[in-house]
Amino acid sequence: MRERDSASVARPSGDAAAQLARGVRLREEGSREEARELLVALAARHPDDAEIAYQTAWVHDALGLEAEAVAYYERALAGDGLSAEHRLGAYTGLGSTLRVLGRFGEALALFERGLGEFPGDPGLRTFTAMALYNEGRAREAVAGLLKLLAESDVVGRYRPAVEYYADNLDETVA
């Protein structure tokens, strides 16, 4: 995982910070279109600010404007200043958005990059399985989900069997 201490994370300051906080609050309160307008304008004034780009991408996704979200997610990931939590959110959001847009190969490549920084993250692994399924790789998708389940408490005492079948899905008894 890419470690970032909070002192090294660049945050918007002054008016930009206040506007960003207002945009996030508006999105959270359900005023998404108003939040989008504010954040798009803020992103235009601060094109190199990764946090503003991330929040702008998020509001586009929340509005179902996935195609418009892509460039903002890409700017967020290309820049510096995202906390580890928001960087993970940007990987998950962008990969999911690419998948929804039918760009499955790009989504898988992005999820692989994300898992390089956040190994084993359950969200990234789950979305990877969805993209694998969309690519016609159902066996890999199901195997990945079974492994994820086996690592959780969900399957309980069946964990050894689930782990085994995750790698042996096609095995049957004659």
Side-chain angles (χ1 to χ4, degrees), residues 30-157:
S31 298
R32 293 178 178 143
E33 187 54 45
E34 186 179 352
R36 186 187 74 77
E37 290 173 15
L38 186 152
L39 290 168
V40 165
L42 191 59
R45 288 193 307 273
H46 302 277
D48 296 327
D49 190 299
E51 181 65 26
I52 291 171
Y54 172 63
Q55 296 298 337
T56 306
W58 188 345
V59 77
H60 280 86
D61 258 353
L63 284 164
L65 302 171
E66 289 86 359
E68 291 87 343
V70 171
Y72 292 107
Y73 277 129
E74 289 172 341
R75 280 179 23 193
L77 286 170
D80 290 323
L82 287 181
S83 66
E85 176 186 4
H86 287 179
R87 191 158 177 84
L88 174 58
Y91 274 118
T92 306
L94 178 55
S96 175
T97 295
L98 291 170
R99 189 191 73 76
V100 167
L101 292 171
R103 296 163 61 180
F104 311 129
E106 291 174 71
L108 285 169
L110 195 283
F111 289 138
E112 186 175 318
R113 267 184 47 211
L115 286 165
E117 286 188 40
F118 301 94
D121 179 75
L124 286 173
R125 290 170 63 194
T126 300
F127 281 100
T128 297
M130 287 186 251
L132 285 167
Y133 172 82
N134 293 127
E135 280 277 284
R137 296 162 60 185
R139 186 180 192 300
E140 288 175 72
V142 171
L145 290 174
L146 287 174
K147 288 176 183 179
L148 188 59
L149 277 172
E151 293 167 11
S152 73
D153 293 332
V154 174
V155 294
R157 64 186 175 148

